[in-house]
Amino acid sequence: IITSLVFLLMIVTFPISGWFALKIVPAYERMIIFRLGRIRAPQGPGMVLLLPFIDHWQRVDLRTRAFNVPPCKLTSKDGAVISMGADVQFRVWDPVLSVMMVKDLITATRMTAQNAMTKTLVKKSLREIQVEKLRIGEQLLLEINDMTKSWGLEVDRVELSMEAVLQPPRENLTGPLATVPPMPRLEGLDGTIQQLAAHFFSNTLALAGSGTGAPEAADSVEMVNEVEPPTTPLLATASSARRKPSADELLSAVEPVLSEALVNQVGASYQVDITLPSGARSTYFIDLSSGSGRAGHGVPESSPDVVLEVAEKDLQDLFLGDLRPLSAYMSGKLQVKGDLHLALKLEELVKALK
């Protein structure tokens, strides 16, 4: 009935309505139309009729496009630290899937390519990377396509580019220490996630592993500043307490550390939906968008910038420092609705709690 009424309205107002309802689609594009929320078959090339008020449309470019993976620091199997990037060419083969399955196609593909590149290169020595660059690119091409084919996207070429060798390989590195060296404050993550975390938090984190490779070096991560005495943390670590604090106790620990400085660093409000062990859900808010910040039960007064969904156990690990926000997100323990960059700024709150 609605469609018929709109057609009738177009006929009555023709030719004025034709100026807005007729669109020209070139041969290298397809138009995806949602009519009353339901997707239709791709339209084009040629002239396409759009019904005003009930049709929403999006153009999809079928031509080959390219993007670059920004250079990031990687540690190879033999201990060399390199800055490696990549150039990726891709094209859309199914315009419907490219619209339905992923919101930002280039960003999602860039993250997928970066993750695959990191996981592959940390398992190879510097010489293998330099000599087998083309073969590694072909291997990455297959791995990326396996992950992106469900998005209606096909990667045509992956070309690695080495920006610089920041640290030469350590010749005497053998045994278990030949893997990626642990990074300060990221010891709980595997090697791949450490490399991604180093890229995201490059302003505050640096790659470790400058020692001689003695087995005792892995136990020397926790250090106390000899100049400045350590302060007592607001939350006890998991190793020093038999029972982890509940969600209410975590909230009580958050309130004293809220400050204008923390608000200036974060500048966002969060709604945290916590799943309790009993299966019930509890909602809290942490407002770091204005003033000195606020925290409490329920939802924030204004619409939150980010909605987080997490189990109570994982929330405890996050606030106690046993789990990083980036690692929680990539492992699926932390569900984010909103800006991922703002969600990862919870790291500043965790630092304040320490």
Side-chain angles (χ1 to χ4, degrees):
I1 294 175
I2 295 175
T3 304
S4 300
L5 291 176
V6 173
F7 266 116
L8 180 61
L9 178 63
M10 287 182 57
I11 294 174
V12 172
T13 58
F14 192 84
I16 298 176
S17 60
W19 180 264
F20 301 97
L22 296 176
K23 302 292 182 181
I24 304 299
V25 180
Y28 56 83
E29 287 185 353
R30 296 294 182 270
M31 184 174 287
I32 304 300
I33 300 175
F34 293 87
R35 179 162 295 172
L36 294 175
R38 295 183 178 180
I39 193 168
R40 305 185 65 203
Q43 304 294 310
M47 185 174 294
V48 176
L49 176 65
L50 297 175
L51 300 183
F53 309 116
I54 65 174
D55 280 356
H56 298 276
W57 53 277
Q58 180 176 341
R59 293 179 183 266
V60 178
D61 196 328
L62 303 182
R63 293 175 294 183
T64 298
R65 288 176 285 171
F67 64 84
N68 70 303
V69 177
C72 58
K73 293 182 181 179
L74 302 171
T75 303
S76 62
K77 183 175 67 174
D78 55 359
V81 179
I82 60 176
S83 177
M84 179 69 73
D87 296 320
V88 179
Q89 291 184 358
F90 72 98
R91 63 182 179 86
V92 174
W93 62 269
D94 190 323
V96 174
L97 289 178
S98 69
V99 172
M100 294 290 293
M101 300 303 296
V102 62
K103 182 177 181 180
D104 192 332
L105 195 63
I106 293 181
T107 300
T109 309
R110 178 182 285 115
M111 290 296 298
T112 301
Q114 185 178 35
N115 191 15
M117 181 183 72
T118 304
K119 289 194 298 184
T120 300
L121 296 184
V122 296
K123 299 177 183 178
K124 298 184 178 295
S125 65
L126 176 61
R127 179 173 177 80
E128 289 175 333
I129 296 173
Q130 292 174 330
V131 174
E132 304 177 3
K133 188 182 297 184
L134 293 178
R135 189 183 65 81
I136 296 174
E138 295 174 354
Q139 177 184 348
L140 290 175
L141 178 69
L142 298 176
E143 293 181 5
I144 297 171
N145 276 328
D146 285 341
M147 292 181 279
T148 60
K149 62 183 179 181
S150 61
W151 301 347
L153 178 147
E154 182 180 5
V155 176
D156 295 329
R157 186 175 68 91
V158 177
E159 183 176 346
L160 297 176
S161 58
M162 183 179 297
E163 300 294 325
V165 178
L166 305 178
Q167 177 180 310
R170 296 192 292 274
E171 298 179 356
N172 297 328
L173 195 62
T174 57
L177 294 180
T179 59
V180 181
M183 298 166 52
R185 304 169 59 194
L186 292 176
E187 298 84 356
L189 310 182
D190 60 33
T192 301
I193 304 301
Q194 286 190 25
Q195 298 293 349
L196 286 175
H199 176 67
F200 276 101
F201 304 109
S202 58
N203 293 330
T204 56
L205 302 178
L207 290 173
S210 59
T212 58
E216 292 79 3
D219 299 327
S220 62
V221 174
E222 294 188 7
M223 295 181 291
V224 177
N225 193 329
E226 297 180 358
V227 178
E228 182 180 355
T231 57
T232 303
L234 292 173
L235 293 175
T237 60
S239 60
S240 62
R242 294 182 180 179
R243 182 184 65 85
K244 291 185 177 181
S246 64
D248 290 334
E249 292 171 338
L250 290 173
L251 181 65
S252 300
V254 166
E255 294 177 345
V257 303
L258 300 181
S259 63
E260 292 184 4
L262 187 60
V263 169
N264 292 333
Q265 287 180 321
V266 179
S269 62
Y270 302 88
Q271 175 180 323
V272 186
D273 296 331
I274 304 173
T275 303
L276 303 177
S278 62
R281 296 174 69 89
S282 183
T283 301
Y284 299 84
F285 73 89
I286 303 174
D287 189 353
L288 299 174
S289 60
S290 62
S292 299
R294 297 172 53 249
H297 292 272
V299 298
E301 296 179 355
S302 59
S303 178
D305 298 306
V306 182
V307 177
L308 306 175
E309 296 181 3
V310 63
E312 184 181 42
K313 176 182 177 301
D314 298 326
L315 181 70
Q316 293 166 346
D317 292 338
L318 280 170
F319 278 50
L320 294 173
D322 298 332
L323 181 66
R324 299 290 174 179
L326 177 63
S327 177
Y329 171 74
M330 300 195 67
S331 62
K333 296 180 179 179
L334 178 65
Q335 302 294 325
V336 177
K337 296 180 180 178
D339 192 332
L340 177 59
H341 178 69
L342 291 179
L344 295 179
K345 283 190 175 182
L346 280 177
E347 183 82 12
E348 301 299 331
L349 179 59
V350 174
K351 292 178 183 177
L353 288 172
K354 293 183 179 181

